[in-house]
Amino acid sequence: MRTGPRKKKNFVFSRLNVLFFIVFALFSILILRLGFVQIVEGETHLKSLERTSNATARIDAPRGLMYDRFGYVVVDNELELSLTYTSQSQTRDTEEMLDVARKLEQLIEVDTSKITERDRKDYWLLQASREERLELVSLEERKEIDDPQEEYALELERITDEHLNSLTEEDERILAIFRQMNQGYALTPQRIKRDISEEEAHSIAEKLDELPGVDILRDSRRKYPYGNSLRSVFGNTGSIPREQLNNYLAKGYERSDIVGTSYLELQYEDVLRGQKAVVESMTTSSAGDMIEQTINEQLGSRGNDLVLAIDMEMQQYLDDIVERRISQNPGAFINEGSAYVVMMDPKTGDILAMTGYSTNQENDHIGVVNKAFEMGSSIKGASVLTGFQTGVASPGTVFYDRPIDLPGTPIKKSVRNYGAVSSQRALEVSSNVYMFEIAMRMAGYNYNSKCCWNSETIERAYNEARYYFSQFGLGTETGIDLPSEYTGVNGGVQQAGNLLDLMIGQFDTYTTMQLAQYISTIANDGYRMQPRLVTEIREPSADKDSRGAVVQQFEPRVLNRIDMTDAQIRDVQQGFRRVSTNGTASRFFANKTYTTATKTGTAQVRVAVGEGENRRFIDGNNQALVGYAPYDDPEVAFAIIVPYAKRDSAPGANADLARDIGAEMLDTYFELKERREGPTLADDPVLEDFEGNE
């Protein structure tokens, strides 16, 4: 039987089947691949021909304005352009940043004044070659150091002045730009320069494609139409302080935002902050063409405005009066001349004007809340009322004014021996002994019988005196709407002699604002009002010459009513009136067309002068004056302090500075009630210096 040929045929057939199967498989793979390319990857390939990207830009809005009580804009905005840099990733590309800084140096003017020695050293190391760095720290030394930061610190330490002197002026300008760029946060615009000129803006715009991360931002800066008047009280704006960053971010701020950093700008940040404009845009690229269109735009708005209690016209007059009086008496002071004044409506707490001036720091208005002094006899109204409240005296009580000789204490007395004096007479002539009698009796001591006080009764008297003083605002926060205020120095509980000094204003220290609140409380029949700078919050108006609708109005706030009776308060008011008509201020206020109640004060102080071996102390005076007018219906109360003046007998001394300021100030106030012309705009309005993170 033959089987060979059949086997051959089967073998050939099998090979054909395999071949057909392979061909079928290849076609299947090809079809699947074509389907995958068309269906699955088709969109990707289409996007390679046409790309679309979306971007959201948030444009800063100007801050709210500040108006004075009569509608004059006292804090304005001036639009400007700012140059910004945005780091493109979390990891900084130092080489790219330096390259951008070099290019920008050719396009803008740069301020190099803020560059530090550490900045220069860091920059020198960035520019140094490997060989130069090895000259600072050898390879062998580096092998012994495990910490890279320690290694870098050693390099910095070994950079000499000779190394730094190799930096050119061009290097300094590049460094100034790089320094600002390096202070920014990743993916967040950092201002490199504010208020760039039109020429600079055009030059930068032409080269933006060569400057990755660089942009030009519409910005604004604070403008002060009336110059430096109240400049320090308005406060500053700047970058978010690093220690407060998380707090601001939680409120929805961005890292690059400008915020209020001090005083009114800080206190009312939530009000003054503007609503940013939001622009969402779509950019499409197709066949080499770029098409950009805005798909959504949300308009921004200026922040809400503040209406201040300040009378800017009176403020300007007050600034001039104080500066002129101090400047005209350069020889009347131990060191630099200075004065601080507050004018306040005693019924509402409105701060009508406040000024601070010194020959070394002209614009020191904020000194009325953060500088404290011994105020002398000006606080004797509180002393008398404390005596009334504690029961050691009453209206009409007579004490005998004569020298007081206590063991271990220098003899204490008034300017002269006044004999028998009542409470009103004591205020009129400024009797120290009357206040000493109150202090001694509060501590349980009778001078005539030489009995009987001890450490416990003396401490109790200190505490009682400060408790009642605080009801007037002395030695405690006044409540003024500023983010911080100084409460003065509490001398603690000392020996008995200091207790007597406390009652005549020569132990604890107080601020001018506290002194103004104290006299306002007496003028207001015992009601202590919270001082306020802001009276209203208003919506922004399209026309800044007209104010917007009221958002919030702050009503006058009574902080407390002092414990003393109406009759007791009236007795002190009458004593203050006698100061103006017959007493220590009569020469300045007795013959005015308006009526006043006043109290003078002279605190004896010792002022340090010189340094080192040449350091010595010179005896001087703090001149103080408080008062209010008109006497029967007070509408303005005031406090004045002229610290560290020479004693009356010294060459060049002028014992009348505080009273001269007070008389001219009140004359001006009442003249303005008859005729107003409005505040005078500054010839060159002040623009705010930008405060960045340093």
Side-chain angles (χ1 to χ4, degrees), residues 367-369 371-376 378-379 382 465-466 469-470 473-476 486-490 501-515 641:
V368 303
V369 296
K371 291 184 177 178
F373 308 95
E374 294 175 19
M375 297 298 186
S378 63
I379 62 98
R466 291 193 177 111
F469 280 18
S470 69
L474 296 173
T476 189
Y486 187 44
T487 57
V489 174
N490 180 318
D501 292 336
L502 174 66
M503 302 301 282
I504 63 169
Q506 296 200 175
F507 189 56
D508 288 357
T509 66
Y510 313 109
T511 67
T512 316
M513 186 62 68
Q514 290 174 331
L515 200 64
I641 178 68

Side-chain angles (χ1 to χ4, degrees), residues 272-374:
L272 295 168
R273 178 192 184 193
Q275 179 66 43
K276 291 186 177 184
V278 179
V279 180
E280 296 181 4
S281 60
M282 179 174 65
T283 303
T284 303
S285 61
S286 179
D289 295 329
M290 298 287 289
I291 303 172
E292 182 173 341
Q293 58 181 328
T294 299
I295 58 176
N296 184 28
E297 182 172 2
Q298 177 183 331
L299 297 178
S301 64
R302 195 182 77 216
N304 285 333
D305 300 331
L306 301 181
V307 178
L308 308 184
I310 294 293
D311 175 353
M312 182 50 76
E313 188 172 5
M314 183 67 233
Q315 178 68 46
Q316 288 185 321
Y317 278 114
L318 181 61
D319 287 341
D320 176 69
I321 291 167
V322 170
E323 180 177 352
R324 178 164 33 82
R325 292 286 182 177
I326 299 304
S327 300
Q328 289 174 351
N329 290 273
F333 298 90
I334 295 173
N335 287 322
E336 74 274 7
S338 61
Y340 300 90
V341 184
V342 173
M343 299 179 70
M344 177 176 172
D345 183 335
K347 297 176 182 177
T348 64
D350 286 356
I351 302 301
L352 305 175
M354 54 189 279
T355 194
Y357 173 84
S358 74
T359 52
N360 287 345
Q361 185 182 350
E362 293 185 10
N363 180 25
D364 190 25
H365 298 77
I366 205 65
V368 303
V369 296
N370 66 17
K371 291 184 177 178
F373 308 95
E374 294 175 19

Side-chain angles (χ1 to χ4, degrees), residues 165 235 295 466 578 586 604 610 621 689:
N165 289 337
I295 58 176
R466 291 193 177 111
R578 291 172 62 165
S586 59
Q604 297 180 353
N621 288 333
D689 290 332

Side-chain angles (χ1 to χ4, degrees), residues 319-443:
D319 287 341
D320 176 69
I321 291 167
V322 170
E323 180 177 352
R324 178 164 33 82
R325 292 286 182 177
I326 299 304
S327 300
Q328 289 174 351
N329 290 273
F333 298 90
I334 295 173
N335 287 322
E336 74 274 7
S338 61
Y340 300 90
V341 184
V342 173
M343 299 179 70
M344 177 176 172
D345 183 335
K347 297 176 182 177
T348 64
D350 286 356
I351 302 301
L352 305 175
M354 54 189 279
T355 194
Y357 173 84
S358 74
T359 52
N360 287 345
Q361 185 182 350
E362 293 185 10
N363 180 25
D364 190 25
H365 298 77
I366 205 65
V368 303
V369 296
N370 66 17
K371 291 184 177 178
F373 308 95
E374 294 175 19
M375 297 298 186
S377 299
S378 63
I379 62 98
K380 285 179 178 176
S383 301
V384 170
L385 285 168
T386 296
F388 291 169
Q389 185 60 28
T390 55
V392 301
S394 60
T397 295
V398 174
F399 292 134
Y400 194 77
D401 188 310
R402 77 291 186 199
I404 301 291
D405 186 8
L406 296 175
T409 300
I411 292 177
K412 294 183 175 296
K413 59 184 180 178
S414 302
V415 174
R416 62 187 179 87
N417 301 336
Y418 293 107
V421 291
S422 65
S423 53
Q424 290 187 26
R425 173 67 175 164
L427 293 172
E428 176 188 335
V429 299
S430 200
S431 167
N432 288 337
V433 174
Y434 198 94
M435 312 306 149
F436 296 157
E437 285 284 359
I438 290 175
M440 291 187 295
R441 291 166 188 262
M442 284 175 60

